[in-house]
Amino acid sequence: YSNFIDDLRVYVRGGTGGMGYPNLGGEGGRGGDVWFVARERTTLKSIREKYPQKRFVAGTGANSSVKALKGEKGKDCEVHVPLGISVLDDEGKQIGELNAAGERFLAARGGLGGSLATNFLPCKGQRRTVHLDLKLIADVGLVGFPNAGKSSLLSKISHAKPEVANYAFTTIQPELGKIMYADYKQISVADLPGLIEGAHANKGMGHKFLKHVERTKQLLLVIDISGFQLSIKTQFRTAFETILLLTKELELYKEELVTKPALLAINKMDLPCAKDHLDELMTRLENPQDFLHLVEEEIIPANTLEFREVIPISTYTGEGIEELKTCIRKSIDEQAEQVNEEYRKKKLLLLQTSK
């Protein structure tokens, strides 16, 4: 992933409580807590650079004294983390999630101060090692094999400037871009590291790629109309087989990914014979079940993706780019309206049951 970091292991420790005051029954202050706070424009890389030791320790509670029988609480330690963070314990179990700016997660609780119950001796704070696992949050995630033209497409539809190459090159770190519309609406698009066959089993960038797809609202599959072959040692795949394989990889990693709203961009329409290939592909997409007997059984997914729109494009000539942007906007707006409608129905149901 080069300079991009999407996983960071850190040590957190709550503060120790303060000493109690036996003679007067004074109670020591509780130790401070360690909090993760979601904040925009923060990266895991910046956390690592600012705190190279990756240790976060909260303050100790104040001791009880004649002047203050109840000691003050220790100072909390707040760590600003990016949006889209999952907090995992050392065994890989998810213990928290931060998706919106301002959300907080208690990573380590401070220890109790000394009191009569503890023979006036303070307790140590909670201590553990946790993993901060980042999953990019975007409206649309670009999904495709290497050299399908995802990076070129992102540079055409947004202000992002990803690295582009004309060989079986794959993006080695996620790129985020924003499509700007005339009415100032913005839609975020993530170009994620290219998939290869076997990604679900963590081949290539495998899980590093697929985990980012989870947080996107919609998928935009980008395929090469002329087919795909990673190297001379691997099998050539037609455009139709490419769609099946991409669906299979998503499905094997997590079934819910195939239920996301999806669009299909068929790239490189400037190539010779592209129109003929497109006619053949569209025929197969209309009734995919009729053509599954022509492909190997192991690349057939249990459920085929339902595409809201199929848009032929060329990132080289610019053909279909504006139409694609319009389709993305329409699809996102429809999804938002659907979510709002479901929310209104739930509210209405709650009101009716409360009456």
Side-chain angles (χ1 to χ4, degrees):
Y1 266 90
S2 183
N3 289 325
F4 181 81
I5 300 172
D6 59 2
D7 180 74
L8 194 64
R9 188 168 177 264
V10 298
Y11 173 80
V12 290
R13 191 179 84 205
T16 304
M19 290 288 291
Y21 201 98
N23 294 350
L24 299 172
E27 190 177 317
R30 202 165 70 81
D33 304 318
V34 180
W35 292 89
F36 293 142
V37 184
R39 192 177 186 180
E40 290 178 349
R41 296 187 177 86
T42 303
T43 64
L44 291 181
K45 185 185 176 187
S46 65
I47 295 172
R48 193 179 68 175
E49 286 173 349
K50 193 174 180 182
Y51 307 99
Q53 301 296 320
K54 294 177 287 183
R55 289 172 59 88
F56 300 98
V57 181
T60 305
N63 294 335
S64 173
S65 65
V66 175
K67 290 182 181 178
L69 288 177
K70 172 70 177 173
E72 282 191 13
K73 183 177 183 288
K75 189 178 178 184
D76 286 349
C77 172
E78 286 196 354
V79 186
H80 293 135
V81 298
L83 277 59
I85 284 288
S86 293
V87 185
L88 312 174
D89 63 17
D90 241 357
E91 294 173 354
K93 182 185 173 187
Q94 185 172 313
I95 53 176
E97 201 170 45
L98 298 160
N99 292 323
E103 284 188 355
R104 300 165 65 85
F105 172 76
L106 180 59
R109 192 180 292 279
L112 293 172
S115 63
L116 184 62
T118 62
N119 203 21
F120 299 99
L121 295 172
C123 299
K124 289 183 177 180
Q126 184 183 14
R127 59 182 73 194
R128 58 182 170 182
T129 302
V130 295
H131 291 262
L132 301 177
D133 189 42
L134 176 67
K135 294 176 185 174
L136 288 178
I137 298 175
D139 296 314
V140 179
L142 301 183
V143 178
F145 285 134
N147 207 34
K150 300 191 308 302
S151 297
S152 301
L153 178 59
L154 186 68
S155 64
K156 285 280 183 185
I157 61 177
S158 74
H159 297 293
K161 291 183 171 58
E163 192 172 347
V164 176
N166 60 355
Y167 50 92
F169 175 94
T170 182
T171 304
I172 54 171
Q173 66 183 51
E175 290 276 356
L176 270 173
K178 285 199 171 168
I179 309 175
M180 311 286 284
Y181 292 91
D183 61 352
Y184 302 106
K185 166 87 173 180
Q186 295 183 21
I187 290 177
S188 56
V189 182
D191 170 25
L192 306 166
L195 276 173
I196 62 168
E197 287 186 48
H200 69 277
N202 215 11
K203 286 185 183 175
M205 296 205 168
H207 293 175
K208 277 185 177 290
F209 163 85
L210 288 161
K211 74 173 186 180
H212 291 302
V213 183
E214 290 181 54
R215 292 280 172 89
T216 57
K217 292 178 186 172
Q218 300 198 2
L219 305 178
L220 174 57
L221 268 68
V222 185
I223 64 154
D224 185 334
I225 188 59
S226 59
F228 171 70
Q229 187 173 19
L230 186 65
S231 70
I232 54 170
K233 294 179 182 177
T234 59
Q235 195 171 338
F236 173 79
R237 300 295 187 187
T238 64
F240 181 61
E241 289 174 331
T242 302
I243 294 167
L244 294 176
L245 264 169
L246 288 170
T247 309
K248 181 86 171 178
E249 291 298 337
L250 294 172
E251 185 180 72
L252 287 171
Y253 176 72
K254 196 166 272 190
E255 277 185 61
E256 305 94 84
L257 295 181
V258 187
T259 63
K260 284 180 183 281
L263 301 171
L264 175 63
I266 302 169
N267 193 19
K268 306 192 182 178
M269 288 304 297
D270 52 284
L271 295 176
C273 302
K275 294 281 190 289
D276 295 334
H277 290 316
L278 179 64
D279 292 339
E280 184 185 335
L281 177 61
M282 293 304 286
T283 305
R284 297 191 174 195
L285 288 176
E286 281 171 21
N287 296 294
Q289 301 298 328
D290 296 346
F291 298 93
L292 294 181
H293 67 279
L294 300 172
V295 299
E296 299 156 46
E297 196 175 328
E298 60 265 23
I299 73 167
I300 300 172
N303 301 290
T304 49
L305 270 172
E306 302 261 332
F307 297 111
R308 291 187 169 194
E309 298 279 355
V310 178
I311 310 101
I313 63 165
S314 168
T315 53
Y316 182 70
T317 64
E319 176 194 339
I321 297 297
E322 288 305 314
E323 186 191 345
L324 177 61
K325 286 166 72 173
T326 305
C327 288
I328 291 171
R329 171 69 185 269
K330 182 185 168 192
S331 187
I332 289 288
D333 287 349
E334 283 175 358
Q335 187 183 14
E337 184 54 41
Q338 192 179 343
V339 170
N340 289 338
E341 187 60 36
E342 286 171 6
Y343 176 76
R344 283 194 291 267
K345 282 180 181 175
K346 279 182 185 173
K347 281 285 185 186
L348 192 62
L349 193 64
L350 282 168
L351 282 169
Q352 288 169 347
T353 50
S354 62
K355 283 177 183 176

